């Protein structure tokens, strides 16, 4: 996913003389550089162009992005620049030269960061485990433990949702980092606490790769209703979004058809190809846990900066923020926990320079090691084992997903005959399911299709087709019986129903109902 770091916030900071927004820009730029350095296999630089249809827009965006370059200073990825109309179309072939009575004057290009968010999230958990953390998956807090005399929280009652077992975990401080569910956790401590979350819905759609070139994104800072829309290359496909509107908090948010259509209509205004609803491979909705500002009129005017507070003794809550600044958010939360619990840490925070697992020793050419030294042994549908080449696409995918640990995945593909692809047209291998089950806490089919890989988000239909084989491998790894396999299938299919691709959407006369 993209972290569109601060261009929008910089504009607000300048025009509204808002120091808080400017501080957020500086903060995000610093953290952006750190996450690219700490997880080079999962994060990379991506140029993004903004189309301009009059010379004022050219001047406005060029000056704005040059100021952005200046603000970035040593944290700058590359200098922004102007492309003429001819150069722009050469870089982005589907960009329209004309449309709605407008002629393209050129584009202004700046450089931002893009990351594989699912893999980074898993990498953080595994890196924490290596550092000594106890990591528990599929568990939830059902109540807090309190010290009777003082009322202070001293731990939590936890339910393992896989086994149903409940147990107590004692702690000097509990950190509530539950995202959009922060308020429900806080209410376990005190039901009278006022909500601090303003949930915002963000919808994204995935289109075939031909809608955008491999190395260039398209950003429209202001659509007809003032929202930002982008179209970016992502994991071999094109991702477009996003909406920003109020929503309710739910475990399985679903995109509304009007939001999908808004994105399609918005990007259609800037392309020379017809954008069809039937091209949508996957569409989903996520919930942003924005920190509520009582004076804000809509979610767009709420700052994405994070807040840390302790409104109940022993419970530190962190909410708001954005992916780019996850590391410093965690640092602030731990600092608050240290203060709350009167703890005595043995050293200062070290995560600023801590490589995420798989990133140490990795470089851009690492995939060649996989391509040269490993083969993909795979079984045919008749059970015969046949060799397959570790082609460049598969090697790059493994390298970019697992870093230097990719060799462990390649070894499983070679030695255990799990080298077949899970879905036609996608580089995900059977070996990845086994590897994730053994090394990355992958305990369910949904864990793999959504949280270890992004197959469900890339192509809902492909994820559905891959499900039987994924469940078969997980059943072997975790020794599931027939009942568990059936439950996994039902849960995964219900999860995929919340993704509104063209295949699982209902159409009448070409329109979605």
């Amino acid at each position: 996913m993209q972290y569109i770091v601060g261009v929008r916030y910089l504009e607000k900071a300048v025009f509204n003389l808002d120091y808080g927004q400017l501080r957020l820009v500086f903060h995000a730029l610093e953290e952006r550089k750190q996450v690219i350095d700490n997880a080079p296999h999962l994060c990379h630089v991506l140029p993004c162009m903004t189309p301009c249809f009059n010379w004022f827009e050219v001047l406005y965006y060029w000056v704005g992005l040059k100021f952005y370059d200046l603000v970035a200073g040593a944290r700058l990825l590359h200098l922004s620049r102007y492309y003429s109309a001819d150069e722009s179309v050469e870089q982005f072939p589907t960009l329209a030269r004309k449309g709605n009575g407008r002629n393209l004057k050129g584009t202004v290009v700046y450089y931002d960061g893009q990351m594989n968010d699912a893999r980074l999230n898993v990498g953080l958990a595994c890196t924490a485990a290596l550092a000594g953390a106890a990591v528990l998956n599929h568990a939830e807090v059902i109540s807090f433990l309190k010290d009777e005399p003082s009322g202070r929280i001293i731990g939590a009652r936890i339910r393992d949702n896989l086994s149903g077992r409940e147990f107590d975990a004692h702690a000097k401080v509990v950190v509530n980092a539950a995202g959009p569910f922060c308020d429900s956790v806080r209410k376990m401590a005190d039901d009278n606490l006022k909500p601090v979350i303003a949930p915002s819905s963000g919808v994204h759609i995935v289109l075939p790769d031909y809608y955008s070139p491999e190395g260039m994104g398209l950003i429209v800072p202001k659509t007809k209703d003032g929202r930002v829309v982008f179209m970016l290359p992502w994991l071999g496909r094109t991702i477009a979004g996003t909406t920003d509107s109020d929503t309710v908090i739910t475990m399985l948010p679903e995109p509304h058809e009007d939001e999908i259509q808004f994105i399609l209509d918005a990007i259609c205004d800037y392309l020379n190809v017809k954008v069809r609803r039937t091209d949508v491979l996957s569409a989903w909705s996520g919930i942003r846990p924005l920190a509520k500002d009582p004076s804000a009129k809509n979610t767009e005017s709420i700052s994405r900066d994070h807040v840390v507070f302790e409104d109940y003794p022993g419970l530190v809550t962190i909410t708001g923020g954005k992916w780019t600044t996850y590391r410093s958010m965690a640092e602030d939360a731990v600092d608050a926990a240290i203060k709350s619990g009167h703890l005595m840490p043995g050293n200062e925070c070290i995560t600023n320079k801590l490589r995420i697992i798989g990133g140490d020793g990795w470089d851009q050419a690492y995939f060649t090691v996989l391509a040269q030294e490993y083969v993909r042994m795979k079984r045919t549908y008749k059970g015969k084992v046949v060799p397959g080449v570790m082609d460049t696409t598969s090697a790059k995918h493994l390298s970019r997903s697992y870093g230097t640990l990719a060799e462990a995945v390649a070894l499983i593909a070679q030695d255990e005959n799990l080298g077949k692809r899970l879905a036609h047209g996608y580089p995900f291998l059977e070996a990845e399911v086994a590897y994730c089950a053994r090394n990355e806490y992958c305990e369910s089919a949904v864990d793999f299709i959504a949280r270890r890989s992004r197959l469900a988000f890339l192509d809902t239909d492909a994820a559905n087709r891959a499900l039987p084989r994924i469940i078969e491998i997980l059943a072997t790894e975790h020794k599931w019986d027939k009942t568990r396999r059936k439950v996994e299938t039902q849960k995964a299919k219900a999860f995929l129903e919340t993704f509104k691709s063209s295949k699982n959407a209902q159409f009448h006369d070409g329109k979605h109902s």
Side-chain angles (χ1 to χ4, degrees):
M1 304 291 264
Q2 181 82 355
Y3 17 101
I4 303 168
V5 170
V7 171
R8 191 172 160 207
Y9 307 129
L10 182 62
E11 184 181 34
K12 288 183 178 181
V14 172
F15 285 100
N16 298 338
L17 299 177
D18 188 337
Y19 176 71
Q21 293 282 3
L22 186 60
R23 185 179 60 184
L24 180 59
V25 174
F26 279 113
H27 186 200
L29 286 168
E30 182 65 39
E31 291 301 317
R32 179 183 68 179
K33 187 176 187 305
Q34 288 307 127
V35 72
I36 291 175
D37 289 344
N38 291 342
H41 57 305
L42 300 174
C43 308
H44 63 275
V45 177
L46 179 70
C48 301
M49 61 170 48
T50 295
C52 303
F53 292 93
N54 59 61
W55 293 114
F56 173 76
E57 285 185 343
V58 171
L59 182 63
Y60 180 82
Y61 290 122
W62 184 85
V63 170
L65 288 173
K66 285 303 174 185
F67 183 48
Y68 183 70
D69 293 345
L70 183 64
V71 167
R75 297 153 297 197
L76 182 68
L77 301 178
H78 295 288
L79 284 170
S80 60
R81 61 159 296 175
Y82 164 75
Y83 281 118
S84 69
D86 288 340
E87 291 172 323
S88 299
V89 173
E90 185 178 345
Q91 294 287 331
F92 205 109
T94 54
L95 181 64
R97 285 177 175 271
K98 296 182 179 181
N100 297 328
R102 305 173 304 178
N103 291 322
L104 183 70
K105 303 301 182 186
T107 59
V108 179
V109 176
Y110 83 106
Y111 292 78
D112 212 334
Q114 190 177 48
M115 66 179 174
N116 186 332
D117 55 344
R119 296 299 312 163
L120 181 59
N121 193 44
V122 173
L124 289 170
C126 292
T127 305
L130 281 177
V135 178
L136 185 61
N137 195 16
H138 290 280
E140 67 174 317
V141 171
I142 55 176
S143 63
F144 285 119
L145 308 177
K146 295 181 180 179
D147 177 60
E148 291 298 335
S150 65
R152 181 180 176 86
I153 289 176
I154 56 171
R157 183 75 175 172
I158 298 173
R159 179 193 296 128
D160 181 339
N161 286 328
L162 295 176
S163 66
R165 186 172 66 92
E166 296 182 7
F167 59 94
D168 292 338
H170 293 268
K172 291 185 177 180
V173 184
V174 174
V175 177
N176 172 18
F181 303 99
C182 274
D183 283 336
S184 61
V185 172
R186 291 170 62 241
K187 285 183 177 295
M188 290 183 195
D190 183 351
D191 196 50
N192 295 318
L193 293 175
K194 293 182 179 180
V196 296
I197 296 294
S200 170
S201 170
V203 172
H204 296 74
I205 64 173
V206 172
L207 300 165
D209 57 350
Y210 56 74
Y211 277 104
S212 65
E214 185 178 348
M216 182 68 74
L218 184 72
I219 306 287
V220 180
K222 284 188 179 179
T223 57
K224 295 170 184 175
D225 66 351
R227 288 186 282 188
V228 175
V229 167
F230 59 81
M231 192 169 71
L232 313 167
W234 183 58
L235 300 178
R237 295 294 180 263
T238 298
I239 187 172
T242 179
T243 60
D244 194 8
S245 53
D246 295 334
T247 188
V248 294
I249 297 174
T250 174
M251 284 296 293
L252 292 175
E254 297 187 32
H256 296 297
E257 185 59 29
D258 58 346
E259 294 176 309
I260 296 172
Q261 200 58 53
F262 163 79
I263 296 171
L264 292 172
D265 291 343
I267 63 176
C268 192
D269 288 342
Y270 297 90
L271 301 181
N272 59 19
V273 293
K274 185 177 181 181
V275 185
R276 305 172 301 182
R277 178 62 176 85
T278 51
D279 283 337
V280 176
L281 302 172
S282 185
W284 73 91
S285 177
I287 301 175
R288 300 184 184 94
L290 305 181
K292 183 180 289 187
D293 178 358
S295 64
K297 296 180 179 179
N298 56 59
T299 59
E300 288 189 65
S301 60
I302 299 175
S303 172
R304 263 57 171 179
D305 206 356
H306 64 277
V307 293
V308 183
F309 57 92
E310 183 181 14
D311 55 357
Y312 194 93
L315 180 65
V316 171
T317 294
I318 179 166
T319 190
K322 52 192 297 180
W323 241 122
T324 313
T325 59
Y326 80 88
R327 191 212 60 81
S328 64
M329 289 172 63
E331 183 178 348
D332 290 348
V334 171
D335 286 346
I338 290 170
K339 182 178 179 181
S340 171
H342 304 289
L343 307 179
M344 301 292 289
N347 53 266
E348 296 290 326
C349 179
I350 62 170
T351 58
N352 198 41
K353 300 292 183 182
L354 181 65
R355 284 290 177 103
I356 302 303
I357 188 169
D360 197 24
W362 182 89
D363 62 39
Q364 296 280 353
Y366 179 76
F367 75 93
T368 59
V369 175
L370 304 176
Q372 290 178 347
E373 297 185 8
Y374 294 90
V375 295
R376 296 189 293 121
M377 303 301 292
K378 49 194 179 182
R379 292 186 185 275
T380 66
Y381 70 97
K382 292 183 178 180
K384 183 180 179 182
V385 177
V386 297
V389 176
M390 184 65 75
D391 55 277
T392 301
T393 300
S394 296
K396 283 186 174 180
H397 160 68
L398 294 180
S399 175
R400 276 286 181 185
S401 298
Y402 302 90
T404 53
L405 299 180
E407 287 190 70
V409 185
L411 199 63
I412 295 173
Q414 178 175 274
D415 293 355
E416 300 181 33
N417 306 327
L418 292 174
K420 194 174 182 180
R421 293 191 181 188
L422 290 167
H424 179 70
Y426 293 89
F428 305 105
L429 304 183
E430 293 173 330
E432 295 179 65
V433 184
Y435 176 84
C436 292
R438 298 171 194 175
N439 302 286
E440 295 185 350
Y441 312 98
C442 182
E443 297 289 341
S444 72
V446 173
D447 274 354
F448 185 80
I449 62 175
R451 305 176 189 124
R452 303 304 182 278
S453 73
R454 277 299 197 208
L455 184 56
F457 292 82
L458 285 166
D459 191 326
T460 309
D461 190 48
N464 257 314
R465 294 195 304 270
L467 264 182
R469 183 59 178 142
I470 291 170
I471 291 173
E472 184 180 2
I473 297 170
L474 288 174
T476 300
E477 294 293 327
H478 295 311
K479 297 179 173 56
W480 291 345
D481 58 19
K482 288 184 179 180
T483 301
R484 177 64 187 275
R485 291 189 188 201
K486 186 176 180 180
V487 169
E488 284 297 321
T489 300
Q490 292 170 342
K491 285 184 176 180
K493 287 188 176 294
F495 175 75
L496 290 172
E497 279 298 314
T498 66
F499 291 72
K500 303 305 178 186
S501 71
S502 60
K503 296 290 175 67
N504 70 347
Q506 299 297 316
F507 289 89
H508 295 284
D509 298 325
K511 295 182 179 179
H512 182 268
S513 63

